[in-house]
Amino acid sequence: MTVPGNRSAPRSARVLIIGTGFAGIGMAIRLRERGITDVVILERAADLGGTWRDNRYPGCACDVESTLYSFSFAPNPGWTRTFSPQPEIQAYLRRVADDHGITPLIRFNDAVDGARWDEPAQEWVVTSTSGLWRAQHLVMANGALSDPSVPPLPGLDQFTGASFHTAQWDAEVPLDGRRVAVIGTGASAIQVIPAIQPRVARLIVLQRTPAWVLPRHDRAVPAWRRALYARVPFTQRIARGALHAWHEMMFLPFRHPLPRRLVQAAVGWHLAAQVRDPQLRRALRPTYGVGCKRLLLSDDYYPALVRPNVEVVTSAVERIGAHAITTADGRTHGIDVLILATGFRVTDPILAPTIIGRNGRSLADAWQGSPKAYMGTTVAGFPNLFMLAGPNTGLGHSSVVLMAEAQIEHVLGVLALAESRHVRAVEPRADAQARYVAWIDASHATTVWNAGGCRSWYLDRTGRNSTLWPFGVDRFRRLAARVAADDYLTA
Ligand code: NAP
């Protein structure tokens, strides 16, 4: 971390939060409810919303039902669709932040570069665009899906047309009547492809690995139901409970082969029903176990791929030229616009090298390419540091908002523990963290994510699954809610 010398004196906060996605906003709300009001949130962008602010590509929507993909304490009877589109989700977050008095705590356009634990002062010194901050507690709520991953494709810098990542969508670039290529066939691609297909002259879909796709059954929420949820909020709570129970059950196929076979049959049927051409069907059929890569939901992805202006290219991208992509089969595809739906840097977070804990050790040093944390939230050697959406808190089957809320309760529990012991610093014991991580790893061994025969972004460069929680959400909630005092060191 470089500490600029000509900045003003550090400002301070008891808790400094990085990021204004669901996790950061939720953390600030719960801290204030607990009477901790000296809170500052640093946001690198000019608006709040995290990944729901950045991802504005056509078709961007949640693939978990909105009634579940929202805060438990802030139900929204007004969702217009089962799976709400991005603008509605961001508007929801803005409203929740306003209603709970969080917006004034946010310092916009203030990006954190790094932070160093100041041992004598027992607090964090944080460097950001605006200068220095001192904070007793630092909450990293900067998200797992926040930094785009752009593969080093040969010739990418020589492309003279418009090119952008799905998370950095350039709405100024006209697509109508143009030749467009999309690289990637993950969750973002399968939303953007059907949204732009009717507008473009030609759409080349460059698929490296096909995805398993289930129907989404997205529909408008009828006005009567919205009115019912608004007037009798209990009814929406029942709906949320039912969705939660359904998603908890959806976890089973990821662990057990028998229910997985049922899902496998459903995805196979969905593909067969929507794609008649046997050659295309073969190209779209994955060879790995269903769920190994994120199981995708879409009603309109396959129908878009069979349109005459679309071609699915399975040959690898070899080179990008000024106006074209050349693939390994020797073909050259002329294009005007290149869309990179190539995902995010999940297991090598950009802040890891610049968060420096005890003894000058960075998170990157501690992790060696494989992020690890106690309860996915705290890290040995990094006192008073909390990570939301941290290692092994991702889900393949339900709403991550539920996980963020459970982590937030864990943070509050740890802060209460430190307070009850009248100490300024708290961190997990190294042996407790090691035990926890070993248990997570053992629990992953037989899941389809680890043993399903694919290479996904769930696995880090050491091959370890450092991304997903290996059980249902309720189990994490129960564990995180109870802070095991013996597992924490206080000073
Ligand atoms: P992703 O799932 O990581 O997909 C990236 C795609 O790019 C993959 O198909 C990948 O192929 C391909 N790719 C990467 N590098 C490539 C290269 N060098 N050459 C060719 N292809 C390449 O990213 P994403 O679609 O942005 O989704 C990321 C996550 O965001 C999702 O899993 C989900 O958790 C979240 N998301 C959620 C929603 C929602 O509705 N809630 C929507 C969008 C995204 P390989 O598979 O071969 O690596």
Side-chain angles (χ1 to χ4, degrees):
M1 181 177 75
T2 49
V3 177
N6 58 349
R7 300 264 175 88
S8 56
R11 292 136 305 165
S12 69
R14 178 160 172 208
V15 182
L16 193 141
I17 299 172
I18 310 173
T20 61
F22 270 91
I25 301 288
M27 186 77 244
I29 291 172
R30 292 290 293 125
L31 281 167
R32 280 163 62 99
E33 284 173 358
R34 280 290 178 95
I36 301 174
T37 52
D38 183 9
V39 176
V40 167
I41 313 178
L42 300 188
E43 168 53 63
R44 67 181 175 184
D47 196 357
L48 62 78
T51 201
W52 294 107
R53 171 204 58 231
D54 294 341
N55 285 274
R56 308 169 157 268
Y57 56 81
C60 183
C62 190
D63 61 6
V64 176
E65 295 86 344
S66 295
T67 290
L68 192 61
Y69 197 93
S70 39
F71 289 118
S72 58
F73 55 81
N76 174 22
W79 295 121
T80 62
R81 302 197 66 83
T82 327
F83 299 89
S84 294
Q86 171 269 332
E88 261 186 54
I89 303 172
Q90 197 193 0
Y92 165 80
L93 272 175
R94 279 204 202 101
R95 203 166 55 243
V96 172
D98 283 345
D99 290 351
H100 288 79
I102 299 306
T103 314
L105 309 179
I106 305 172
R107 311 276 307 216
F108 290 105
N109 300 308
D110 204 352
V112 170
D113 303 323
R116 180 182 289 276
W117 175 248
D118 180 342
E119 185 74 36
Q122 302 269 283
E123 61 188 15
W124 285 95
V125 182
V126 178
T127 321
S128 76
T129 317
S130 70
L132 291 183
W133 292 86
R134 284 191 165 269
Q136 190 186 345
H137 301 282
L138 179 61
V139 179
M140 295 178 69
N142 47 309
L145 300 170
S146 41
D147 295 304
S149 162
V150 174
L153 298 164
L156 186 55
D157 54 342
Q158 275 142 44
F159 183 62
T160 54
S163 165
F164 45 85
H165 189 277
T166 40
Q168 295 163 334
W169 192 265
D170 188 346
E172 301 292 307
V173 173
L175 297 179
D176 297 81
R178 306 188 76 193
R179 299 168 305 165
V180 178
V182 175
I183 299 185
T185 51
S188 302
I190 70 145
Q191 293 184 335
V192 78
I193 286 166
I196 64 172
Q197 173 274 322
R199 296 168 49 191
V200 304
R202 186 153 177 68
L203 184 59
I204 307 289
V205 175
L206 291 132
Q207 171 189 278
R208 186 164 69 179
T209 319
W212 285 114
V213 183
L214 272 174
R216 189 160 72 137
H217 300 308
D218 180 33
R219 44 181 60 99
V221 179
W224 66 262
R225 189 179 304 167
R226 281 184 269 149
L228 179 70
Y229 287 168
R231 291 196 194 121
V232 195
F234 184 60
T235 54
Q236 193 172 22
R237 232 170 289 141
I238 293 174
R240 182 178 164 101
L243 281 169
H244 173 57
W246 165 250
H247 281 273
E248 284 295 82
M249 218 167 67
M250 278 304 290
F251 167 71
L252 293 176
F254 296 98
R255 280 204 85 84
H256 303 290
L258 194 64
R260 191 148 68 238
R261 265 183 236 136
L262 294 177
V263 181
Q264 188 101 33
V267 285
W269 172 85
H270 184 53
L271 173 61
Q274 292 198 325
V275 180
R276 294 265 162 235
D277 171 9
Q279 203 181 336
L280 179 60
R281 204 190 285 172
R282 250 194 319 278
L284 294 174
R285 194 178 171 87
T287 50
Y288 54 83
V290 63
C292 183
K293 280 174 184 281
R294 190 180 164 97
L295 185 55
L296 305 183
L297 300 183
S298 178
D299 303 323
D300 49 10
Y301 175 56
Y302 290 145
L305 295 187
V306 302
R307 304 300 300 165
N309 64 338
V310 180
E311 184 182 355
V312 177
V313 174
T314 56
S315 185
V317 176
E318 198 163 73
R319 190 166 22 86
I320 296 178
H323 309 282
I325 295 181
T326 303
T327 43
D329 56 6
R331 290 178 64 202
T332 294
H333 310 268
I335 55 166
D336 307 307
V337 180
L338 175 59
I339 296 169
L340 299 162
T342 45
F344 298 87
R345 288 178 60 164
V346 181
T347 55
D348 62 337
I350 53 168
L351 280 181
T354 59
I355 303 290
I356 316 287
R358 280 196 207 284
N359 308 319
R361 210 158 164 242
S362 71
L363 274 177
D365 292 338
W367 286 343
Q368 295 295 312
S370 190
K372 296 180 180 105
Y374 176 83
M375 213 60 72
T377 311
T378 50
V379 185
F382 296 79
N384 297 6
L385 179 74
F386 302 94
M387 306 177 68
L388 302 180
N392 295 108
T393 61
L395 296 178
H397 73 291
S398 188
S399 164
V400 286
V401 179
L402 307 177
M403 294 295 279
E405 282 197 49
Q407 284 194 278
I408 288 167
E409 294 314 305
H410 190 73
V411 176
L412 296 176
V414 175
L415 296 187
L417 175 73
E419 210 158 29
S420 71
R421 291 183 184 169
H422 307 289
V423 293
R424 275 185 67 79
V426 57
E427 65 179 286
R429 300 174 67 97
D431 57 336
Q433 179 179 315
R435 258 197 324 275
Y436 177 83
V437 171
W439 171 67
I440 293 277
D441 290 349
S443 307
H444 265 305
T446 56
T447 62
V448 71
W449 302 306
N450 282 42
C454 78
R455 170 84 219 176
S456 75
W457 60 262
Y458 298 147
L459 308 182
D460 58 39
R461 68 174 149 90
T462 72
R464 202 183 137 254
N465 188 333
S466 51
T467 309
L468 294 181
W469 167 246
F471 299 104
V473 174
D474 285 337
R475 189 156 182 184
F476 185 76
R477 272 181 176 159
R478 281 194 302 275
L479 273 182
R482 212 193 107 257
V483 174
D486 291 348
D487 287 352
Y488 276 99
L489 280 172
T490 46

